[in-house]
Amino acid sequence: MKCKILLNNNFDKGLLLAVLISIVPIAVGAETVAKAENLEPAIIHQAQQKEAQDKLKAFEKKSKKKPNILVFLVDDMGWGDPGVYGGGEAVGAATPNIDRLAKEGLRLTSTYSQPLCTPTRATLLTGRLPVRHGLLRPPQIGETGGMEGEITIATLLSDAGYYTALSGKWHLGESPSNQPQYNGFDEYYGFLGSTKNYTEWRDPRINASLSNNETIVETIKNSPNFIKTLVKARRNQPHEALYELDIPAVANVDIDLMNNSIDVIKRMENQEKPWFLYHSFGKVHFDNYPADGFQGSSKAKGVYQDAVVEVDYIVGQVMKALKETGQDKNTLVFFTSDNGPETDTWPDSGYSPFRGAKMSTWEGGVRVPGIAWWPGMIEADRVSDGLFDLADLFATFVNIGQAKMPTDRYIDGIDQSSFLLADGGESNRAAVYYYMLDKFSAIRVGPYKQHLYVVSPAASEGIPGYINGSTLHKTAGLYVFNLYLDPKERRPYGIRTALITKQLQGALKKHKATFEDYPPKILMTLE
Ligand code: CA
């Protein structure tokens, strides 16, 4: 029965074999327990769990209201871009505001996204891996489809009494029913695709063969369902088109989004409801065009670095509004990126010290900055390498917002409130599962990572491009790395880790078993 389900859902036969030849199912590094059948098993840390719940109770008693939640999601920012992750000033793009968040909060060094924008965004909002929510890749211009049948954290928080707002990039389908205002958001102000959708066919410096071809440009402009304006919308109401997203508009759109988020925060100052604000940047996705006043603002003077300086400025301004309205003590802030740097477009490209880039499950593609901030609730100046998947934001927000967890679907996200809130708290996650499109490509337990598939860049070393023409290979043998000894994944040493490999196989087997009762859903298959 199990074989049938796995094979019916396009899982790899080799992987199945790897599971079956695992001689004894050995427990994962730490023991895990599932609170319910549909929830990903978590490590139980009883003392820190109690400490976190006591903190939350004391908070509610004092503030007489649930905490607000603010998420900053940067597009394509590399793990190595912010100063506190080794970039910043060192790479000519200082990030004092992002660094301050980390110094006043918790800096996570092992936060994981998916390898691409859309899968990550859907995972963050649904708490589910891409093979479950079905969005394996970004929708193309005018393409229909989206998150049909999915439940977003915005919906759950709304049901729990929150006011919910999204400023910025959506990228989860632009046809009307897939837009944010029909997916749990009370208000939306932003753009439905990726910034490049609006610019790359307009700019002869970037794409002259398209932009100088009137027939092609007209075809793109008139694509059915393509919404090339900034839009605003209210819950369950059709969107209103505000202005055309031409190149000068895209250059300045993040500043516009900043002003919108500041406006939301100011409006919420004296409201009874707690709020959830999802601030989703257009930058630093290629092609970066500097906003007015930001050209040459970085020491590096590059378009990418200027964009990092702008993102950092925006973080600072939004945080300033939070403090000026006295809501800083009542708000959990999480800062992260939706995937690793896009190296095909270098030098308009972020930095990661790890191997690989966006569109790969090497660490460089999926390991992203992750900073949690909540003064008085999250200990300042803390660093942890505990595993954190962006799916965990969903389950964590459900707990913090006292929302109702769905029972009719599998939730891959783990409630990490005790990891974040308890002083010296440890991660409740035992394993990270890496997916490359529809392929289960790697697993990490502790510092050990086994690859089942690897992505090879199209070009030779030195000009890495992981989207243009890369290839996906099934690994042979034991392709295991130790990310502490070898963070750049250059020395597979499975021959030395037979016992560990069995542990990885045990975790892998448990993960695969979750698809028996909860079959994967793939809406957008690859052509
Ligand atoms: Ca992205």
Side-chain angles (χ1 to χ4, degrees), residues 75-76 116-117 121 169 285 338-339 358:
D75 199 350
D76 288 10
L116 287 169
C117 309
R121 288 156 194 274
K169 177 176 173 175
H285 193 293
D338 68 339
N339 49 251
K358 178 178 177 182

Side-chain angles (χ1 to χ4, degrees), residues 101-151:
L101 274 186
K103 281 172 197 151
E104 294 173 358
L106 167 60
R107 176 166 62 94
L108 302 172
T109 62
S110 290
T111 300
Y112 286 90
S113 67
Q114 299 301 319
L116 287 169
C117 309
T118 296
T120 295
R121 288 156 194 274
T123 292
L124 190 157
L125 290 177
T126 63
R128 283 148 62 77
L129 289 169
V131 286
R132 295 195 215 271
H133 60 59
L135 294 170
L136 301 181
R137 59 160 175 84
Q140 301 307 296
I141 286 176
E143 188 175 16
T144 55
M147 294 209 294
E148 286 88 353
E150 293 299 312
I151 299 173

Side-chain angles (χ1 to χ4, degrees), residues 265-312:
I265 288 169
K266 286 185 174 167
R267 272 190 277 129
M268 293 312 293
E269 182 182 351
N270 297 314
Q271 301 294 317
E272 276 183 21
K273 281 190 164 194
W275 49 264
F276 168 54
L277 172 60
Y278 174 28
H279 185 96
S280 175
F281 287 87
K283 287 188 168 78
V284 287
H285 193 293
F286 77 95
D287 296 293
N288 282 295
Y289 297 90
D292 295 345
F294 282 88
Q295 184 161 11
S297 58
S298 67
K299 200 180 269 183
K301 310 293 176 198
V303 284
Y304 183 84
Q305 290 75 16
D306 289 352
V308 169
V309 167
E310 185 188 327
V311 163
D312 184 74

